[in-house]
Amino acid sequence: MKNDKRHILFITPGFPKDNLDTRCIPAMHLFLTELAKTASVNVSVIALDYPYKAKVYDWKNLRINAIGGNNKGGLLKLRTYRKAIKTALKIHQGNKVSHIHSFWLGDAAIVGNQLKKRLNLPHTCTLMGQDVLRENIYFKWFKSLPELIALSDFHNNSLKKNFNIKPKAIIPWGIEELEEGEEERPLDFIGVGNLTKLKAFEKLISAVSKLKVEKPNVKAIIVGEGPEEKRLKQKIEKLELQDNIELVGVLNREQTLDKMRQSKCLIHCSSFESFGLVIIEALALGLHVFSTPVGIAEEIKEVTTYHSESELIGLIKETTAIWGTGKVSYPFRVENTVNRYLKEVF
């Protein structure tokens, strides 16, 4: 009997290693989990580098083929490519693949292009973040680029500015329905993300320092880990904010959402963002959102964008005069993302 289902093979640098590992690329695994529910589609996933050990395992309703490349370079990277291609050919032999899709224009897209040639199949790639920046050397390595998907107008504009390339489509991420936040929220502010220079959490710390003058008991937390942790701690100590700001470290997605439910405002400080899933999560949980004009921020009317620290502080004072919470908003749902990929990509 002929199988009329579309079989889409996804290639990604990483995927959650188990059901508790939900902080690993949440936008992607939310999308794939929802897509796999579609009756007309079969989904297979190859993860190149993470989990770090090679294994085949089930994650919710998905079958994951982990290559275990462990981010190794040089000849060992070539071995990861070969293992991934061998795995893909085996998957194809068992159930004919109809479309190859990679995440990030990097190693996953290189493997995807090799499979495109071998299997004579279409290959598309979702640009996920800084891979649209001029520093991405992978653009030079492709004789023929896959068709590209961007995540927001901001993301698309960066792609056009840096490489003069038009994507096949601009498709935003979506989230599932979330349980709303608490009425009593002990935390005034929350920041979420990797502790890197790009995320610029020193802006949040400076804002809290200024707001402390009028509200001595202001409370904020920053969720994440990264190379800037020591410097951020030093800034907190220098400004004597130990009782006002806590770096809580890395949390999984569910734990992070719980912290957001306890918070009144999300402050997003990043100097670059392709989309910003945390922004739509915060809106769905009833937080005010203050964001730099990056990613999806300027496309959502409920988000307050700012361009400087002084502007941020002024906007916070105006918006949260009574330190209340925002209105619950669901501007992006994961089922809409799936429908658009099925209609415009696969």
Side-chain angles (χ1 to χ4, degrees):
M1 183 176 178
K2 184 180 178 181
N3 185 356
D4 293 327
K5 281 190 173 186
R6 283 173 282 183
H7 182 193
I8 307 166
L9 174 62
F10 292 92
I11 306 167
T12 173
F15 198 86
K17 63 182 178 180
D18 54 42
N19 288 337
L20 298 178
D21 189 19
T22 52
R23 63 181 292 264
C24 178
I25 322 177
M28 184 191 70
H29 70 66
L30 285 171
F31 164 66
L32 292 179
T33 303
E34 186 68 21
L35 177 65
K37 297 175 184 177
T38 307
S40 61
V41 171
N42 284 325
V43 173
S44 295
V45 180
I46 292 177
L48 299 180
D49 293 306
Y50 180 85
Y52 297 135
K53 292 185 178 180
K55 61 178 179 176
V56 178
Y57 63 103
D58 292 325
W59 196 89
K60 298 186 178 180
N61 55 344
L62 296 166
R63 174 58 59 94
I64 313 302
N65 299 268
I67 304 303
N70 201 6
N71 299 305
K72 293 176 180 176
L75 294 176
L76 293 176
K77 183 188 289 287
L78 295 179
R79 188 171 71 176
T80 299
Y81 291 171
R82 288 195 297 269
K83 287 176 66 178
I85 291 169
K86 183 178 179 180
T87 299
L89 294 175
K90 185 177 179 180
I91 290 171
H92 182 69
Q93 185 177 22
N95 181 7
K96 297 296 184 185
V97 173
S98 58
H99 195 109
I100 300 160
H101 191 87
S102 54
F103 293 101
W104 279 277
L105 194 83
D107 294 331
I110 287 177
V111 172
N113 252 20
Q114 289 297 314
L115 290 168
K116 172 187 176 180
K117 294 175 184 177
R118 292 205 185 195
L119 300 175
N120 192 27
L121 292 173
H123 171 214
T124 48
C125 173
T126 296
L127 299 162
M128 296 287 281
Q130 296 178 63
D131 45 351
V132 300
L133 299 182
R134 201 179 301 276
E135 293 79 9
N136 186 3
I137 61 173
Y138 284 91
F139 271 95
K140 301 176 182 179
W141 294 2
F142 285 90
K143 292 182 179 179
S144 176
L145 284 167
E147 291 189 305
L148 303 175
I149 311 300
L151 302 178
S152 65
D153 289 340
F154 179 89
H155 202 207
N156 174 52
N157 292 337
S158 296
L159 178 64
K160 182 178 180 180
K161 175 184 175 182
N162 292 318
F163 298 102
N164 197 27
I165 293 173
K166 183 178 180 180
K168 178 181 178 68
I170 303 171
I171 305 179
W173 290 126
I175 58 172
E176 77 280 37
E177 186 169 351
L178 299 174
E179 183 180 345
E180 294 181 20
E182 303 170 5
E183 286 189 26
E184 295 296 326
R185 303 195 181 203
L187 300 172
D188 296 308
F189 305 107
I190 186 170
V192 179
N194 294 324
L195 306 187
T196 62
K197 289 184 178 180
L198 182 79
K199 297 299 184 181
F201 283 115
E202 68 273 5
K203 294 179 184 177
L204 190 158
I205 295 171
S206 295
V208 170
S209 177
K210 301 289 195 309
L211 292 165
K212 184 181 177 181
V213 176
E214 297 182 19
K215 193 174 190 296
N217 295 323
V218 60
K219 296 290 183 184
I221 64 169
I222 298 174
V223 179
E225 63 180 359
E228 290 290 288
E229 182 175 353
K230 181 178 179 181
R231 191 174 69 87
L232 294 175
K233 283 183 176 178
Q234 290 173 342
K235 185 176 180 70
I236 290 170
E237 292 171 1
K238 182 179 179 180
L239 295 173
E240 298 182 350
L241 297 173
Q242 295 94 325
D243 294 332
N244 304 98
I245 302 180
E246 181 184 3
L247 302 181
V248 300
V250 63
L251 302 175
N252 66 26
R253 183 167 182 261
E254 288 72 22
Q255 292 168 327
T256 301
L257 292 175
D258 282 340
K259 291 294 185 183
M260 292 169 70
R261 291 183 179 98
Q262 299 171 36
S263 306
K264 301 179 180 75
C265 307
L266 171 77
I267 298 184
H268 196 66
C269 311
S270 183
S271 59
F272 180 88
E273 201 76 57
S274 58
F275 183 76
L277 192 76
V278 68
I279 290 174
I280 61 173
E281 289 173 331
L283 291 174
L285 295 173
L287 281 75
H288 289 295
V289 176
F290 300 91
S291 176
T292 47
V294 297
I296 202 68
E298 287 198 302
E299 297 181 47
I300 306 176
K301 67 179 186 299
E302 293 89 350
V303 174
T304 303
T305 57
Y306 65 93
H307 297 81
S308 67
E309 182 183 314
S310 59
E311 183 182 7
L312 169 62
I313 293 168
L315 289 168
I316 289 173
K317 289 180 178 179
E318 290 175 16
T319 308
T320 60
I322 58 173
W323 298 85
T325 54
K327 181 180 179 181
V328 172
S329 173
Y330 269 101
F332 300 98
R333 291 184 177 272
V334 67
E335 55 265 33
N336 295 336
T337 303
V338 167
N339 289 336
R340 287 199 58 189
Y341 268 87
L342 289 173
K343 182 179 179 181
E344 302 175 43
V345 182
F346 307 136

